Amino acid sequence: MTDGALARGRATEAAPSTREPLIDVRDMTKVYGEGDTAVRALRGVSLRVQADEFVAIMGPSGSGKSTFMHLLGCLDRPTSGSYRLAGQEVSRLSRDELAAVRNRRIGFVFQSFNLLARTTAQENVELPLLYAGVPRDLRVQRARALLQQVGLGDRLGHRPSELSGGQQQRVAIARALANGAPLLMADEPTGNLDSASSAEIMTLFRELNRRDGITVVLVTHDVSVAAWSNRVVTFRDGLIIDDRPSAEAVPRRVRESMLGTAPALEARP
Amino acid sequence: MSIVNLLRIAWQALRRNITRSILTMLGIIIGVGAVITSMAIGAGAQAAVLAQIESLGANLVVVIPGAITSGGVSLGTGSRTTLKLPDVDAIASTVPDVAGAAPYSQTSAQVVAGGMNWYTVIGGTTPSYTGVRSWSVAQGRFFTSAEVDQAAKVAVLGNTVQQNLFPEGGAVGSIVIIKNVPFRVVGVLAPKGQSGFGRDQDDTVMVPITTLLDRLTGQTWVQNFFVSAVTPEAVPAVVDATERLLRLRHHLTVAQPDDFTIRNIADVQQVRLATSQTQALLLAGIAVVSLVVGGIGIMNIMLVSVTERTREIGLRMAVGARGRDILLQFLVEALTLACLGGLIGIAIGVGTAQGSSALGHWPVIVSPFSILLGFLSSLLVGVVFGFYPAQRAAALDPIVALRYE
Ligand SMILES: Nc1ncnc2c1ncn2[C@@H]1O[C@H](COP(=O)(O)OP(=O)(O)OP(=O)(O)O)[C@@H](O)[C@H]1O
Ligand SMILES: [Mg+2]
């Protein structure tokens, strides 16, 4: 974590595969504002993520993690640089095209859940399907199956206010999966949760990654959360300064204490 | 996104804040209600005036004697005795485009039949009167020209008189006594109802003009001439030609003023028609103003709603809503508000029109067109005033919206 250039060098070594990466970001920059008040949130970030990787992004506050996630999630456009998602250049797409990419190809999970209040879990999960133009009966069926998958089969008609934080986040994950996106992005998904709920959510992410081959990129401040991933990317001052397998990045003690809880959960069908 | 889903989302959003939604609709409700009511009252008044014109007789021109000026003091229109019976015949036979001309004089008298009596208006005229004033005979017949020439003692009863003197029927063929003169009833007129001036037109008895002048009033002049033109367009020409003819017949020099007055009844009624139209227009103006105020109310609430739901908008965009989806969502919400308000306004407008008609005894006509207009104007208000807030919502940046506190 000391030498940025070295870290970047290692990042390329870490992904020597000839497969087309799912995420291929080159020299991405993001500047907020103009002139004297301009903030250079990202100052030239390059990152490749292969399909079915599980990447944790860490780094101090203000280092540009969320900014980067929003760009990866196609919620925003970079100031410069390129972003190829599954081979398609998406950094210069129009608003409507970006909406379609968000709808079909990316599932986004937020720290604050962002469920629609006074709307049932079922309807929240249906939301992306609604914008995808999926017919009603199919929508209902798929949302129900997803909620069952995240362990909320008995909470379909509950509103967010009637669910615990962990349950709300699972609804949000079900929603992110609704359109069968191969990529799941999460910005501090456990930030508002206690450690037990965090472990549940992380188990779910790993299950989705291992069993369904969904690529997961998540931001966390918590090393014990990063322990669930298989790659840790570290940001500082708008640059990637470190990128290594979590086996190296996360202290062994943390990994063992966290993952010790996992097999029981993982045994779930 | 399908319209069903858009409507469902709108309905849920509006139900969430029922009081606010209803208050927002109030402007539209009042506006549309005013549109419906004003059009119903306007149309009713117009129809009533048209019906009055109809009942007066088609394309009617009235000639009355001119005023006597005695030492600079006018004794009032109709106080002169210049109109004579032969004048009518001259008008009928020489003025072009005249459909008919009839003299008319009247007096009031007690009419006695058997044990009954009734105080009414006795009108003297000729058979042309039926055509000129659009009267028809319900029983028996009208008197004939021959009977006019002979000053025959025959009478035709108005409906009201018949009902009061002969409640059991059998009027035709009976004898009625007017000022000690016995008249044989030859017919009964079909009912016509109230005149434009609130008088019961059926409360009358018609006798030959000659009989009236000779036996009942002793006058040698006629009070009015009724002249009808063949078409409404011919009325002005008939007025002019009649004036020229009468001046000639009355031997008036260029310096002398008319010793008669010619009134175009349609003109008088047109003025009343125009007045009722002006009133309706005024009401319509009020309706438009309150529709605009209602629209501004909708715009205001929609702007508040967009601000309140900024995070929701951000979230919807994050899961794939395009700007157009968001635009439609809020537009449909505004439209739902406006149309619901419109429908309630239509109900209230129809209710108010019928209610005021029942209470105020004036005619109203609720036309399907006014209902359509009311609904369309609420729709228009919804689109016009809903568009800007919806546009603002659609233009939001997903990240900015998601981060909005
Ligand atoms: N909309 C914005 N306008 C201006 N500056 C912004 C905006 N969003 C982020 N920034 C700035 O960009 C930099 C990176 O912010 P970012 O939110 O990406 O950090 P982060 O790594 O996610 O921090 P944290 O761990 O606290 O969430 C910060 O200096 C922040 O102030
Ligand atoms: Mg952040």
Side-chain angles (χ1 to χ4, degrees):
Chain A
M1 283 212 195
T2 46
D3 188 340
L6 185 70
R8 274 203 297 283
R10 232 184 261 148
T12 26
E13 281 161 32
S17 167
T18 50
R19 280 191 296 162
E20 168 113 51
L22 180 64
I23 293 172
D24 188 354
V25 172
R26 306 217 176 158
D27 288 326
M28 191 183 259
T29 68
K30 180 71 185 177
V31 180
Y32 291 112
E34 279 169 23
D36 292 347
T37 57
V39 177
R40 298 178 67 202
L42 293 179
R43 300 191 290 147
V45 172
S46 297
L47 181 74
R48 288 167 169 220
V49 176
Q50 297 296 338
D52 66 35
E53 272 194 272
F54 188 151
V55 182
I57 294 179
M58 301 192 71
S61 188
S63 57
K65 305 182 295 296
S66 293
T67 302
F68 186 57
M69 288 298 274
H70 294 152
L71 292 172
L72 286 191
C74 288
L75 288 163
D76 206 355
R77 276 177 289 204
T79 306
S80 72
S82 91
Y83 172 20
R84 291 171 75 83
L85 177 65
Q88 187 198 0
E89 180 62 52
V90 293
S91 55
R92 299 285 172 266
L93 292 183
S94 70
R95 273 171 66 101
D96 280 2
E97 287 166 332
L98 284 179
V101 171
R102 290 196 295 271
N103 186 236
R104 304 300 181 114
R105 290 159 58 184
I106 298 169
F108 212 105
V109 176
F110 304 89
Q111 177 175 358
S112 50
F113 321 136
N114 273 328
L115 298 179
L116 292 187
R118 282 166 288 205
T119 305
T120 63
Q122 165 91 29
E123 287 171 322
N124 266 292
V125 176
E126 282 181 37
L127 206 56
L129 298 164
L130 205 62
Y131 290 111
V134 175
R136 185 180 163 79
D137 39 348
L138 219 71
R139 227 159 56 209
V140 171
Q141 206 183 320
R142 176 126 178 92
R144 185 173 301 155
L146 283 162
L147 282 167
Q148 258 148 18
Q149 196 189 334
V150 300
L152 291 175
D154 55 346
R155 297 280 197 284
L156 302 177
H158 285 54
R159 284 149 213 276
S161 57
E162 299 158 357
L163 296 170
S164 74
Q167 287 170 332
Q168 288 186 54
Q169 195 60 300
R170 278 190 276 158
V171 174
I173 292 170
R175 181 181 64 194
L177 296 170
N179 272 328
L183 175 59
L184 206 52
M185 320 267 308
D187 194 351
E188 301 189 41
T190 60
N192 286 5
L193 301 178
D194 62 19
S195 56
S197 302
S198 288
E200 269 175 41
I201 294 297
M202 291 316 296
T203 310
L204 185 56
F205 274 126
R206 199 167 70 167
E207 194 181 288
L208 291 168
N209 175 249
R210 295 244 172 112
R211 196 191 57 203
D212 303 335
I214 290 173
T215 310
V216 179
V217 179
L218 63 77
V219 171
T220 183
H221 282 287
D222 187 347
V223 174
S224 62
V225 167
W228 296 82
S229 69
N230 42 41
R231 180 177 168 195
V232 176
V233 174
T234 307
F235 274 67
R236 181 185 287 167
D237 296 334
L239 290 171
I240 292 178
I241 53 155
D242 190 55
D243 182 354
R244 65 178 83 205
S246 49
E248 294 172 33
V250 179
R252 187 194 181 111
R253 188 177 42 78
V254 177
R255 269 190 299 137
E256 280 171 358
S257 75
M258 281 312 295
L259 302 186
T261 57
L265 284 160
E266 253 183 327
R268 254 182 359 190
Chain B
M1 179 117 74
S2 73
I3 187 71
V4 180
N5 289 323
L6 286 168
L7 282 173
R8 227 192 34 213
I9 293 173
W11 181 245
Q12 282 170 351
L14 296 180
R15 247 193 12 197
R16 212 160 280 169
N17 245 318
I18 288 221
T19 319
R20 188 164 93 180
S21 302
I22 290 175
L23 286 175
T24 307
M25 284 189 285
L26 217 53
I28 297 287
I29 293 176
I30 293 171
V32 171
V35 168
I36 304 279
T37 312
S38 64
M39 287 184 72
I41 292 176
Q46 207 156 320
V49 173
L50 286 172
Q52 286 163 13
I53 294 176
E54 197 89 328
S55 84
L56 269 173
N59 320 319
L60 193 66
V61 173
V62 184
V63 184
I64 52 179
I68 300 174
T69 321
S70 159
V73 179
S74 168
L75 298 183
T77 308
S79 52
R80 282 177 80 164
T81 59
T82 50
L83 299 183
K84 297 282 160 45
L85 267 181
D87 289 339
V88 189
D89 299 330
I91 292 169
S93 54
T94 62
V95 174
D97 290 338
V98 166
Y104 182 84
S105 283
Q106 67 175 42
T107 183
S108 296
Q110 201 78 21
V111 182
V112 183
M116 317 288 264
N117 67 80
W118 186 252
Y119 191 76
T120 187
V121 175
I122 317 295
T125 186
T126 63
S128 305
Y129 190 72
T130 52
V132 173
R133 296 292 315 270
S134 310
W135 280 99
S136 56
V137 174
Q139 298 167 34
R141 60 174 178 84
F142 208 79
F143 47 78
T144 62
S145 302
E147 283 165 333
V148 173
D149 293 344
Q150 298 154 14
K153 291 176 275 180
V154 290
V156 179
L157 306 187
N159 190 54
T160 306
V161 175
Q162 186 246 176
Q163 278 177 1
N164 283 286
L165 290 184
F166 300 96
E168 258 103 66
V172 177
S174 307
I175 302 292
V176 295
I177 317 283
I178 306 170
K179 291 192 176 172
N180 296 323
V181 180
F183 284 80
R184 190 162 50 83
V185 177
V186 295
V188 176
L189 295 166
K192 229 176 172 185
Q194 295 235 321
S195 76
F197 312 96
R199 195 175 64 81
D200 177 8
Q201 299 180 91
D202 300 319
D203 190 0
T204 187
V205 172
M206 299 283 181
V207 300
I209 180 75
T210 44
T211 319
L212 183 95
L213 297 181
D214 293 355
R215 309 247 175 195
L216 301 181
T217 64
Q219 293 169 335
T220 54
W221 67 91
V222 179
Q223 290 165 1
N224 301 316
F225 296 161
F226 287 110
V227 180
S228 82
V230 287
T231 58
E233 293 73 37
V235 168
V238 167
V239 169
D240 285 352
T242 303
E243 184 182 2
R244 265 182 276 118
L245 179 73
L246 288 179
R247 285 186 66 85
L248 205 68
R249 290 182 60 86
H250 295 179
H251 310 293
L252 298 174
T253 62
V254 180
Q256 285 175 299
D258 287 352
D259 58 1
F260 54 88
T261 307
I262 301 184
R263 286 215 177 129
N264 178 347
I265 290 295
D267 282 353
V268 176
Q269 298 292 3
Q270 285 303 333
V271 171
R272 298 181 54 171
L273 203 61
T275 311
S276 80
Q277 277 165 342
T278 311
Q279 283 166 352
L281 216 65
L282 214 74
L283 279 170
I286 293 169
V288 167
V289 168
S290 60
L291 274 176
V292 169
V293 171
I296 292 171
I298 286 188
M299 179 151 80
N300 182 33
I301 284 303
M302 290 310 297
L303 283 172
V304 170
S305 177
V306 167
T307 307
E308 278 175 355
R309 284 149 70 193
T310 301
R311 277 177 72 96
E312 174 191 328
I313 295 164
L315 187 269
R316 286 181 184 275
M317 287 176 158
V319 300
R322 290 158 303 177
R324 142 163 56 114
D325 295 317
I326 300 295
L327 182 90
L328 274 178
Q329 179 186 330
F330 282 91
L331 204 54
V332 166
E333 196 173 315
L335 275 175
T336 307
L337 262 180
C339 289
L340 268 180
L343 289 177
I344 297 173
I346 287 171
I348 289 181
V350 171
T352 310
Q354 304 290 9
S356 68
S357 160
L359 286 177
H361 300 291
W362 60 65
V364 301
I365 298 173
V366 179
S367 67
F369 171 74
S370 71
I371 290 179
L372 190 72
L373 186 76
F375 188 74
L376 288 182
S377 50
S378 65
L379 208 71
L380 186 74
V381 165
V383 172
V384 168
F385 291 96
F387 193 81
Y388 172 63
Q391 167 94 53
R392 282 229 333 207
L396 281 172
D397 187 75
I399 279 300
V400 174
L402 272 171
R403 284 199 174 158
Y404 184 83
E405 293 301 332

